[in-house]
Amino acid sequence: MTQDPIELLTPSEMASVDAAAIAGGVSGETLMEAAGAAVADAASRRFREARRVLVLAGPGNNGGDGFVAARLLAESGHDVTVALLGEKAALKGDAGAMAARWVGPTIDVRDARPSGADLVIDALFGAGLSRPLEGRAAAAVEAANRSGKPILAVDIPSGVDGATGRPIGEVFIRAAATVTFVRLKPGHVLLPGRSFCGSVDLADIGAPSEAVAEPGAKTFLNRPALWRDAIPEPSIEGHKYSRGHVAVWSGPALAGGASRLAATAALRAGAGAVTLLGPRPALEAHAAHVTAVMLRETDGRGGWSSFLGGRRVGTWVFGPGAGTDARPRAALDEAFLAGGKAVLDADVFSIFADRPEELAAALEDGSIEAVLTPHEGEFARLMGERADGAASKLERARAAAALIGATIVLKGPDTVVAAPDGRASIADNAPAYLATAGAGDVLAGLVAGLLAQGAPAFEAASAAVWLHGEAAKAVGRGLIADDLPGAIPAALRLID
């Protein structure tokens, strides 16, 4: 069965889903009962030895979910106390109805003693919190964290922004596990929010699919369902050039490893032919390491552009180990004139430091479909003062994609891929040991190999990011970048 892409809903989009579900005939009480049941189930399943449960309940719907969980856990034999922020009589709507069904002990949150519980359930505030925790709420959160007892968060840890994953203030819950509903939020996937959530359960609480589609979300969890149908299958009638020819610009002899990694990865991704181009000393070094990758001598002053124009080369990679002196700059200008599809990485961001508009103009003039693959430092270098440090990673990637007119791959353990049309994917499958020198060069080649076969830029970039993570998992601890190209076939088999 083909899965649908998995939307990531911001808190405001999730509010639209709730409203649409209720307008469609699903009562708020029904949704809250299902949410609370999911929390109780996670508490029983994940924390089997916990008998004494303290529920920290807030004054809104998150607190209502907590009251439902408290009732169900008490019915199953747990010793449950609800510590309420505010007065029970002040609770309104669905939350008030659920509080009225709770007949167990309710205390003021100021009297809560998390250290005396086996499990703390954080039902203070959900993903829509917009202000820092303070007063009694902050004190309760600090006591829960200090207790050392496991915390199960409802929706998202209190004090963490569901849209960005960032702490809203200095005080926030550090959960061992989180239960959220309908869809994940960006804050569950983006760092540091992902770390604060612990293990995340996603519960279906009965929101109709029509309600989920209501906000028209453009952010997705990076999974094969998002891009699998856009990755071309090799044809039995095809040949190497019909599968795409990738050109990779080589840096000097003592800096050629990066371009060699990119070239090899492009082949492993399925490109039919890959050629490394550069000065003879660099090619002599490459010749000692590669066999399937072709080599072509050029000094970057005419030979590069003629090769791109005359050898059915539709996709090129520039930046890994390229350098920033006159020769690579001239070669890059030639490539812009040649057009086609491009993956830009590494030294390109130094060449265009603080001049993203100039890069945008060069891409537009050449009608180039481009993917840029910066890490955070390179992104800041390219964007300069336009890199809004107050914005989330998702927001910054989207803004850069719109400004430059290219797909942006903002790398990291929570890599964001953003397209100029606003679509974005967030990856969560990169293992920690992928943070190694040269891994980004492999990713650039992976993107190019998929572009060369005809995949659109956003899908090619998202697929490459996911495959990159899975290849790293296949290698395991001790990974170095040289291992990654050889592990790409194992990752590709996961989507066959």
Side-chain angles (χ1 to χ4, degrees):
M1 180 182 295
T2 301
Q3 291 183 322
D4 292 328
I6 304 172
E7 307 97 332
L8 298 175
L9 298 177
T10 65
S12 61
E13 289 171 340
M14 190 63 231
S16 297
V17 171
D18 289 339
I22 293 170
V26 182
S27 72
E29 287 193 13
T30 297
L31 294 172
M32 192 169 284
E33 276 284 349
V39 174
D41 174 72
S44 298
R45 176 169 38 83
R46 287 188 174 275
F47 307 97
R48 295 182 183 276
E49 304 303 317
R51 306 313 304 164
R52 296 169 298 173
V53 180
L54 175 66
V55 179
L56 303 177
N61 286 343
N62 204 246
D65 297 339
F67 274 106
V68 174
R71 170 167 47 85
L72 297 176
L73 287 169
E75 290 173 358
S76 66
H78 292 77
D79 179 3
V80 185
T81 299
V82 175
L84 179 61
L85 179 65
E87 299 297 327
K88 195 172 181 179
L91 295 174
K92 305 296 183 183
D94 299 327
M98 297 306 165
R101 297 177 190 177
W102 167 246
V103 297
T106 302
I107 62 175
D108 190 283
V109 74
R110 288 174 291 193
D111 299 323
R113 298 294 180 266
S115 58
D118 301 317
L119 172 67
V120 178
I121 294 179
D122 164 33
L124 286 169
F125 299 99
L129 183 70
S130 60
R131 64 185 186 279
L133 297 178
E134 56 187 18
R136 288 180 293 167
V141 166
E142 289 178 324
N145 287 336
R146 193 167 55 244
S147 72
K149 299 305 173 75
I151 302 173
L152 175 63
V154 178
D155 194 18
I156 201 164
S158 292
V160 176
D161 190 326
T164 69
R166 292 178 171 179
I168 299 171
E170 295 183 0
V171 180
F172 52 91
I173 285 286
R174 298 175 183 270
T178 297
V179 182
T180 194
F181 317 110
V182 183
R183 292 292 186 271
L184 297 175
K185 291 35 170 212
H188 292 121
V189 188
L190 292 169
L191 291 174
R194 192 199 310 169
S195 298
F196 302 147
C197 290
S199 301
V200 179
D201 288 345
L202 176 61
D204 180 356
I205 59 172
S209 57
E210 297 82 1
V212 177
E214 177 70 21
K218 285 192 169 186
T219 307
F220 301 88
L221 188 63
N222 192 341
R223 291 288 187 274
L226 177 63
W227 40 260
R228 177 64 186 86
D229 291 344
I231 305 300
E233 292 282 353
S235 169
I236 193 66
E237 298 177 347
H239 52 80
K240 63 183 179 183
Y241 291 117
S242 68
R243 292 181 62 186
H245 189 174
V246 176
V248 181
W249 174 260
S250 171
L254 296 182
S259 59
R260 191 160 57 244
L261 285 169
T264 306
L267 271 180
R268 287 293 191 182
V274 177
T275 300
L276 270 166
L277 296 98
R280 176 170 287 276
L283 298 187
E284 289 173 347
H286 290 313
H289 293 85
V290 299
T291 50
V293 175
M294 297 181 286
L295 306 175
R296 172 84 172 208
E297 182 179 0
T298 174
D299 63 1
R301 295 180 177 87
W304 169 248
S305 59
S306 63
F307 181 84
L308 292 178
R311 291 298 186 96
R312 292 179 287 184
V313 178
T315 305
W316 47 275
V317 180
F318 201 100
T324 58
D325 59 19
R327 178 177 290 171
R329 289 187 181 213
L332 184 55
D333 287 340
E334 290 181 36
F336 285 142
L337 292 174
K341 302 177 181 180
V343 180
L344 305 179
D345 188 33
D347 289 330
V348 170
F349 308 125
S350 294
I351 292 173
F352 283 93
D354 200 21
R355 295 182 293 126
E357 292 90 350
E358 289 187 30
L359 177 56
L363 296 174
E364 183 178 10
D365 288 347
S367 300
I368 295 168
E369 183 179 15
V371 176
L372 280 58
T373 57
H375 56 58
E376 287 281 9
E378 292 165 337
F379 183 86
R381 189 179 312 139
L382 171 66
M383 300 301 293
E385 62 184 16
R386 300 156 197 79
D388 182 1
S392 72
K393 186 170 187 174
L394 178 60
E395 292 168 329
R396 288 183 289 116
R398 273 199 169 114
L403 174 66
I404 300 172
T407 296
I408 303 294
V409 180
L410 187 48
K411 297 183 292 193
D414 53 351
T415 295
V416 173
V417 179
D421 63 9
R423 288 177 297 157
S425 67
I426 307 175
D428 66 347
N429 69 322
Y433 36 87
L434 189 52
T436 185
D441 306 313
V442 174
L443 178 61
L446 253 172
V447 176
L450 296 174
L451 281 175
Q453 295 171 75
F458 175 73
E459 287 80 3
S462 296
V465 167
W466 187 86
L467 291 166
H468 196 232
E470 295 304 308
K473 289 180 184 177
V475 176
R477 294 183 68 172
L479 164 81
I480 62 173
D482 303 65
D483 301 324
L484 284 169
I488 291 171
L492 286 167
R493 284 195 289 273
L494 298 175
I495 64 171
D496 285 342

